[in-house]
Amino acid sequence: EAEPEGDAPAAYSEGAPGNGTGRETDHYAYPQRERHAIVQRYRAARDRGQVRNKEAWAHERYGISSRTLLSYEREFPEGQAYTPD
């Protein structure tokens, strides 16, 4: 099943861990909940063998680089429950 394509929205402010302000910085293209969903979709597609090129997958669907996707993956480690801030 094909994933819906995503458009990269403008920066979004929402609570984020680690910056000490309790608010997300403007360098994220997606809010925390959507970053988590992107990571879940990527991992599911990867596990089904549908990701041949991570850079292309991330860019075509969400307008982000594989490096950005990697930072999202680090934010939401596998096997760890997601709890929104």
Side-chain angles (χ1 to χ4, degrees), residues 22-49:
R23 292 189 354 225
E24 189 161 303
T25 62
D26 288 336
H27 73 272
Y28 286 112
Y30 290 94
Q32 184 182 47
R33 182 169 283 131
E34 185 62 18
R35 292 194 308 271
H36 182 255
I38 290 168
V39 170
Q40 285 184 311
R41 290 179 200 128
Y42 166 71
R43 289 177 177 153
R46 180 197 63 196
D47 292 347
R48 290 188 304 265

Side-chain angles (χ1 to χ4, degrees), residues 11-84:
Y12 184 89
S13 291
E14 170 183 309
N19 68 5
T21 65
R23 292 189 354 225
E24 189 161 303
T25 62
D26 288 336
H27 73 272
Y28 286 112
Y30 290 94
Q32 184 182 47
R33 182 169 283 131
E34 185 62 18
R35 292 194 308 271
H36 182 255
I38 290 168
V39 170
Q40 285 184 311
R41 290 179 200 128
Y42 166 71
R43 289 177 177 153
R46 180 197 63 196
D47 292 347
R48 290 188 304 265
Q50 296 175 329
V51 178
R52 291 180 21 196
N53 180 310
K54 186 175 184 177
E55 181 73 31
W57 188 94
H59 183 72
E60 289 169 4
R61 285 162 180 79
Y62 301 103
I64 61 174
S65 69
S66 60
R67 185 173 178 172
T68 297
L69 178 54
L70 179 59
S71 76
Y72 293 0
E73 289 179 273
R74 289 178 176 153
E75 183 179 6
F76 305 105
E78 284 191 82
Q80 192 171 57
Y82 168 64
T83 53

